[in-house]
């Protein structure tokens, strides 16, 4: 891919519609691709992979042009084998502060942040939910855990967002934002 930044990438994709391919391995990556294509008006093929390792290999071998990847690829990026155009999170990630966000590049609607949560079956007693939450909050406060997660490229939500209520609000907001694009693109759950 000749583009050196997001703006050049968009220009190349517009000048070469449907000529590029992007590897995806999960629904979240398909959503990022859909948001990006909708926001920029570009079109490229999505190539499904069963895992990121084979997708990264094909990217480095020139079999695909783009890869919507995770922070686990930072060593490959730092090694110079591939170029990172942007991160999809709302803010730059601590593990790669030199990589701009899509929002910084003028594409806030294309931003998407992957997150992790702990879920229990519906009807789980509140005291059990509280104990699970307290254990998770305690683990996230541990300096060794925090350092390891940041080293892996993960961001840790502030303490006020580490509650069952905040997780519920996040799930609801993400569902409201993504449902229209899921319906429009026909993305199926995996």
């Amino acid at each position: 891919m000749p583009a050196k930044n997001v703006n050049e990438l968009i220009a190349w994709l517009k000048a070469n519609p449907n000529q590029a391919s992007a590897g995806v391995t999960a629904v979240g990556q398909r959503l990022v691709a859909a948001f990006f294509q909708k926001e920029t008006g570009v079109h490229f093929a999505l190539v499904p992979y069963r895992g990121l390792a084979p997708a990264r290999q094909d990217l480095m071998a020139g079999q695909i042009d783009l890869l919507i990847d995770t922070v686990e690829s930072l060593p490959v990026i730092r090694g110079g084998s591939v170029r990172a155009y942007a991160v999809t999170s709302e803010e730059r990630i601590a593990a790669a502060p030199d990589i701009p966000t899509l929002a910084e590049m003028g594409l806030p609607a294309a931003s998407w942040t992957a997150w992790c949560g702990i879920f229990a079956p519906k009807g789980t007693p509140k005291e059990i939910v509280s104990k699970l939450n307290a254990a998770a909050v305690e683990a996230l406060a541990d300096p060794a855990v925090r350092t390891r997660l940041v080293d892996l490229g993960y961001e840790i939500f502030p303490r006020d967002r580490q509650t069952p209520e905040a997780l519920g609000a996040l799930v609801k907001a993400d569902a409201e934002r993504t449902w229209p694009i899921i319906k429009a693109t026909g993305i199926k759950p995996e």
Side-chain angles (χ1 to χ4, degrees):
M1 185 59 62
K4 294 189 177 29
N5 59 49
V6 170
N7 292 329
E8 288 182 17
L9 175 64
I10 294 166
W12 188 93
L13 291 169
K14 284 184 176 182
N16 300 280
N18 295 312
Q19 296 301 308
S21 59
V24 293
T25 63
V27 169
Q29 293 162 332
R30 290 185 183 132
L31 284 169
V32 169
F35 283 131
F36 185 80
Q37 290 183 76
K38 181 179 180 211
E39 181 73 5
T40 61
V42 302
H43 301 282
F44 50 83
L46 297 181
V47 180
Y49 283 86
R50 289 183 174 248
L52 283 169
R56 284 182 199 125
Q57 289 173 341
D58 279 0
L59 178 69
M60 290 187 286
Q63 300 299 312
I64 57 174
D65 304 296
L66 303 165
L67 178 60
I68 299 165
D69 206 342
T70 63
V71 294
E72 284 85 9
S73 278
L74 287 175
V76 177
I77 294 164
R78 289 186 180 121
S81 299
V82 297
R83 175 183 294 123
Y85 289 112
V87 295
T88 62
S89 55
E90 293 176 8
E91 296 179 11
R92 291 187 184 209
I93 58 173
D98 54 320
I99 302 173
T101 68
L102 286 174
E104 287 177 76
M105 305 306 294
L107 301 167
S111 296
W112 172 264
T113 301
W115 48 266
C116 298
I118 298 174
F119 294 86
K122 184 176 182 175
T124 299
K126 288 191 183 278
E127 61 272 8
I128 300 299
V129 171
S130 292
K131 285 181 182 181
L132 288 169
N133 181 247
V137 168
E138 182 180 344
L140 290 172
D142 181 290
V145 171
R146 293 181 76 82
T147 299
R148 182 66 179 138
L149 289 172
V150 169
D151 287 347
L152 290 171
Y154 292 99
E155 300 288 323
I156 300 170
F157 286 151
R159 175 61 188 99
D160 65 325
R161 291 184 61 198
Q162 297 176 15
T163 66
E165 296 77 20
L167 178 59
L170 178 62
V171 169
K172 183 177 185 219
D174 273 0
E176 288 172 356
R177 179 175 179 226
T178 58
W179 188 244
I181 200 112
I182 289 169
K183 284 176 45 178
T185 59
I187 294 173
K188 303 285 184 221
E190 296 175 354

